Amino acid sequence: MAFQVLLNFFIAFMWMFLQNTYTLGTFAVGFFFGLLMIFGMRRFFSSRFYFLNVLAVLTLLMIFIKELIKANLSVLQIILTPKMKMTPGIFAYQTELKKDWEITVLSNLITLTPGTLVVEVSADNQTLYIHAMDIGSAEEAKKDIRDSFEKAIKEVSR
Amino acid sequence: MKRTNLKTNDLILQTVVKVVFFIIFIYSVYIFFAGHYTPGGGFVGGLMTSSAIVLLLLAYDVKTVAAVIPFNFLKIAATGLLLALGTGMASFFYKVPFLTHAHGPVHLPFFGEVELASATAFDLGVYLVVVGVTMTIIQTIGETE
């Protein structure tokens, strides 16, 4: 992944030196040609074509923005509801993610979603304790997290 | 609340601090260099650098931070004072009063014409003194049980 990005930049710089014009436009053209070349040689590398990772990061960003808007609207709805009909509680969630940054991003995304809040990460980094506003929908929340966030984060670090 | 011997897992805090530390640090450097024409300068820059290191101290323990940043902060404060004094003394070589600051365009290789001022060196002295003193105070209070 990182090697492919570096190679792409190297090809772009090569292109600039060959053209003997050092502008952003020439760099962009060289970068585009490098991207095409790396796409053609994508089976040559150990990791997958890096542009897919870039797309995965953008997907994660879109999910983040969507969840932020949804969360704030649902909180608004809860505040304006006259009677509260929920039972708060804490449930454990087994995560399959391994790296520090993955767990951090997952925790922050869970905290932003409506009705859930990460309270604690267990000592072995494999269990997240999540406070739910309505414990009745805990199973549903687990399924949601597994399907949307964890999948998107796995897609980035594949 | 009952105290337990279980250490809490600071994973999220530590991961976020690893990123945020560099943002605060580069902003403090920007503030330091902005001090000549816009608000900022050595004092604020020094305080912000200290606050970045304090953030590290909050996320990790004192021993880890001492291993990562192996400086004696008292010596840093002394270096800053010497630098500020030296900038003042440099004016004697040009037969002008103490602490007279020179400034003007200087031709540097690769960068071209750059407006430099000797006040920046004085400000760097102030910066180092502020970082050294703040960190010394915090570490001394933190280490006493």
Side-chain angles (χ1 to χ4, degrees):
Chain A
M1 160 86 197
F3 174 72
Q4 290 180 45
V5 177
L6 275 178
L7 184 69
N8 203 160
F9 269 86
F10 179 73
I11 292 170
F13 276 115
M14 270 307 285
W15 182 258
M16 278 204 313
F17 291 136
L18 290 168
Q19 296 280 329
N20 212 0
T21 45
Y22 304 101
T23 59
L24 198 64
T26 327
F27 183 84
V29 170
F31 196 84
F32 175 72
F33 282 138
L35 202 63
L36 281 184
M37 263 181 245
I38 291 172
F39 179 72
M41 296 294 287
R42 67 190 177 282
R43 289 174 189 79
F44 188 72
F45 299 103
S46 53
S47 58
R48 62 180 183 155
F49 180 50
Y50 86 90
F51 200 71
L52 295 175
N53 291 68
V54 176
L55 287 179
V57 170
L58 287 176
T59 315
L60 198 60
L61 197 70
M62 293 315 286
I63 289 177
F64 168 77
I65 292 166
K66 192 184 80 188
E67 287 299 335
L68 194 66
I69 294 166
K70 260 170 61 184
N72 283 299
L73 285 175
S74 74
V75 167
L76 186 71
Q77 188 197 338
I78 287 160
I79 291 169
L80 295 177
T81 314
K83 278 205 179 73
M84 297 264 259
K85 277 188 187 158
M86 35 189 135
T87 44
I90 293 177
F91 65 91
Y93 172 76
Q94 297 289 332
T95 178
E96 295 159 16
L97 300 173
K98 294 276 179 288
K99 291 181 189 131
D100 283 4
W101 71 266
E102 291 173 336
I103 295 166
T104 305
V105 168
L106 180 69
S107 307
N108 289 339
L109 281 172
I110 291 170
T111 304
L112 278 168
T113 48
T116 47
L117 178 80
V118 174
V119 184
E120 177 87 32
V121 184
S122 72
D124 60 351
N125 296 345
Q126 285 313 295
T127 314
L128 300 178
Y129 294 101
I130 300 172
H131 179 277
M133 214 152 42
D134 199 353
I135 198 75
S137 61
E139 286 307 317
E140 202 183 314
K142 275 190 199 179
K143 206 170 74 65
D144 267 358
I145 293 165
R146 220 177 282 286
D147 288 345
S148 59
F149 299 147
E150 230 181 69
K151 236 170 72 184
I153 292 171
K154 269 184 189 164
E155 196 63 32
V156 171
S157 62
R158 224 175 69 184
Chain B
M1 207 185 118
K2 207 173 107 218
R3 287 290 296 272
T4 55
N5 289 333
L6 276 174
K7 257 184 70 90
T8 51
N9 191 358
D10 290 338
L11 173 99
I12 297 171
L13 177 67
Q14 287 174 355
T15 316
V16 171
V17 160
K18 269 180 208 165
V19 177
V20 168
F21 172 81
F22 293 102
I23 298 171
I24 298 177
F25 193 76
I26 196 69
Y27 188 63
S28 75
V29 172
Y30 162 75
I31 285 275
F32 171 80
F33 281 112
H36 205 71
Y37 298 109
T38 47
F43 190 76
V44 184
L47 278 181
M48 280 186 76
T49 307
S50 312
S51 71
I53 302 171
V54 168
L55 197 62
L56 276 184
L57 281 168
L58 287 175
Y60 298 89
D61 51 322
V62 177
K63 281 195 183 74
T64 317
V65 176
V68 172
I69 308 172
F71 297 130
N72 182 349
F73 284 106
L74 273 172
K75 280 182 184 161
I76 287 188
T79 314
L81 274 175
L82 276 175
L83 191 65
L85 189 67
T87 317
M89 302 277 268
S91 59
F92 292 153
F93 294 109
Y94 299 98
K95 303 265 194 303
V96 283
F98 182 60
L99 276 178
T100 306
H101 286 294
H103 62 88
V106 182
H107 189 79
L108 294 175
F110 187 73
F111 289 109
E113 292 285 309
V114 185
E115 178 82 16
L116 287 182
S118 68
T120 310
F122 184 80
D123 227 15
L124 187 65
V126 173
Y127 173 89
L128 289 176
V129 169
V130 170
V131 170
V133 168
T134 319
M135 288 318 297
T136 309
I137 291 170
I138 286 165
Q139 278 191 337
T140 333
I141 294 172
E143 278 165 7
T144 48
E145 281 296 321

